[in-house]
Every structure is written in structure tokens, then in C-alpha cells.
Amino acid sequence: LSPCVPCLPRLFVKISTGSRKPRKVENSVKVNEILQKSPRVITQRQGMDWFRYHRLANIYSWMEQLANDYPDIVKLNIIGITEEGRNIVVIKIGGGLPNRPAIFIEGGIHAREWISPATVTFMVNELVTNPANRD
């Protein structure tokens, strides 16, 4: 069983009983053990992992390497430029077959948004590198 982003919080966040006091984080060692056992969680591509947060340049380098490693299913497109002059890059995953269902995943669109880039890159990594996701 590979870890997935939606099921990780259930492993280490104590359920609140209505109190608004800070919750105690439990079983964080268990989460780290699960993450370290998964062969797909840490990738050697451009030093990308999900134990720390990465700058945009590092994420874009990782995306470029992913597109180079999986050219049949990963395509990158620049869809615009930010007010700061940075490229807005999207990644398309799929074989280009007609009449296939599609999903749109967006992350990192707000200033100081810290978790969605990690969540989206984790999901992209799973969709691309996990053999169970092949047709």
C-alpha cells in the first residue's frame, strides 16, 4: 500500500472532540516510516522529495526531468507569465488517446501557499511513476 496524501492526515492528527485547543500530533514516527518505505516517495530527480518544501525553480526542474524521463505521457506547456516575469508551467499527463476522461489539478496559485505545491507534485509523481496507473 503506497501512502497517499489524503490518507496521511488520518495517521497522525488526533481527532478533536470539539475543543479549539491545539491538537497533539501523534504517530509522526509512523508516518515517516511509511514514507521511507515507499520506493516512489523519494525520487532522485533534481533532489525532489516530500520531506521539505521546494522553491519554484526546483519544482520546474523536477517537472522538466519528469518530462524527459517519461516523454510518452508527460508534456509541459507554458501558459502565461506572472506579474514577476516567471513562466506559468502546466504539466499534462496522458498518452493523448481520444475520448479519455481527464482531471485538472491546480496548486500554488496563492501567495505563501505552502502545502498545495507539495500535494500536487506528490500526486503528479504517483500518477506518472506508479506502475499501477498504467492502462
Side-chain angles (χ1 to χ4, degrees), residues 10 23 34 39 47 53 65 75 79 87 92 125 129 134:
R10 288 192 295 267
R23 292 177 273 183
I34 291 170
Y53 300 103
Q65 188 62 49
K75 305 288 185 236
I79 61 167
N87 289 335
K92 180 180 177 184
N125 192 62
T129 64
R134 302 286 183 267

Side-chain angles (χ1 to χ4, degrees), residues 11 47 84 94-95 126 134:
L11 294 174
E84 297 172 333
E126 282 294 303
R134 302 286 183 267

